[in-house]
């Protein structure tokens, strides 16, 4: 069956793909979100960071990783000496899935079928950017990128080689660090930096 991305020419760049994703309703998430939040960064980037899905703030702003998780990611990139504008930053799922609790829009994890439906866009981003390596931030990104189950806590800091040869570094999603016990945050952040540092050779 035809997918939304099949209507976008094969030689389309990121801007044209972003427009296409705005019209996508290939899974139910697209109905309730404000807008699709596509990846951002140079098409010539050697490193791609992949998160889960836009959050409340990203959904409203239309840009990936601009909320609390994004702030922690920015802090990590600063510590690592990774200029954010040299990295392509995106998500496995392009629309925000949430549950209303009063006035609050609470994050909901995407279902496997939704991750699979949205993979068409991440695949197109990979075709355009052709990164040398990818960082999977959390289990949803890992599941989207690697065709076997990945235990994030067991495999964090390790590279997984895909069947197409692309290397995927497994680590935690920043929201996992934000949810952790406050007295352990500093150590958890340092450990996260140790994971991410494995990808430093692909930056700059
Ligand atoms: N969490 C994500 O996975 N991606 C974002 O863009 C924001 C929060
Ligand atoms: Fe399409 Fe992905 Fe949005 Fe679902 S989440 S409607 S597959 S862009």
């Amino acid at each position: 069956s035809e997918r939304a991305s099949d209507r976008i020419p094969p030689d389309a760049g990121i801007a044209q793909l972003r427009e296409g994703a705005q019209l996508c309703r290939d899974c139910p998430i697209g109905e309730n979100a404000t807008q699709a939040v596509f990846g951002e960064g140079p098409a010539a980037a050697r490193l791609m960071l992949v998160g889960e899905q836009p959050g409340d703030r990203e959904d409203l702003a239309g840009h990936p990783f601009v909320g609390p998780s994004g702030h922690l990611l920015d802090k990590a990139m600063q510590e690592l000496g990774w200029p954010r504008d040299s990295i392509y930053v995106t998500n496995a799922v392009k629309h925000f899935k949430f549950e209303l609790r009063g006035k609050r829009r609470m994050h909901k994890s995407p279902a496997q079928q939704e991750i699979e439906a949205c993979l068409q866009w991440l695949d197109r981003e990979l075709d355009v950017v052709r990164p040398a390596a990818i960082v999977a931030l959390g289990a949803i990104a890992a599941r989207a990128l690697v065709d076997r189950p990945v235990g994030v806590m067991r495999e964090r800091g390790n590279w997984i080689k895909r069947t197409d040869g692309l290397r995927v570094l497994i680590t935690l999603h920043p929201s996992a660090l934000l949810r952790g016990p406050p007295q352990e945050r500093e150590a958890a952040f340092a450990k996260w930096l140790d994971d991410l540092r494995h990808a430093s050779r692909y930056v700059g």
Side-chain angles (χ1 to χ4, degrees), residues 32-199:
N32 298 314
T34 307
Q35 58 191 319
V37 178
F38 214 70
E40 287 180 357
R46 295 178 66 226
L47 187 66
M48 182 182 284
L49 296 190
V50 180
E52 180 189 311
Q53 60 163 320
D56 179 77
R57 296 273 296 277
E58 290 80 13
D59 169 82
L60 297 172
H63 302 287
F65 283 110
V66 294
S69 285
H71 289 143
L72 195 59
L73 189 61
D74 284 341
K75 191 179 150 197
M77 288 193 283
Q78 217 155 43
E79 294 265 342
L80 293 161
W82 294 6
R84 177 159 172 167
D85 63 6
S86 72
I87 297 167
Y88 190 87
V89 177
T90 192
N91 285 299
V93 170
K94 306 310 192 212
H95 280 106
F96 175 40
K97 183 175 184 181
F98 61 91
E99 185 172 63
L100 270 181
R101 228 176 278 160
K103 285 182 195 173
R104 277 202 120 89
R105 304 190 302 169
M106 304 301 290
H107 162 276
K108 259 189 112 175
S109 291
Q112 182 61 28
Q113 276 190 65
E114 294 160 344
I115 299 166
E116 279 166 23
C118 211
L119 196 52
Q120 56 181 314
W121 298 110
L122 184 57
D123 283 341
R124 293 292 294 265
E125 289 174 296
L126 287 170
D127 285 345
V128 172
V129 179
R130 298 196 149 280
I134 311 177
V135 177
L137 298 167
I140 301 290
R143 197 185 308 169
L145 287 162
V146 178
D147 66 359
R148 67 162 174 84
V150 176
V152 169
M153 295 316 279
R154 194 168 48 84
E155 303 192 58
R156 64 179 299 184
N158 293 335
W159 291 98
I160 295 177
K161 197 171 183 175
R162 291 166 32 121
T163 45
D164 65 0
L166 247 175
R167 311 180 77 208
V168 181
L169 178 66
I170 305 300
T171 191
L172 309 193
H173 191 280
S175 68
L177 281 81
L178 293 171
R179 278 195 307 266
Q183 69 276 15
E184 286 167 27
R185 264 189 210 152
E186 217 171 304
F189 183 71
K191 196 158 183 248
W192 193 45
L193 290 184
D194 290 341
D195 290 351
L196 292 168
R197 205 171 279 117
H198 288 106

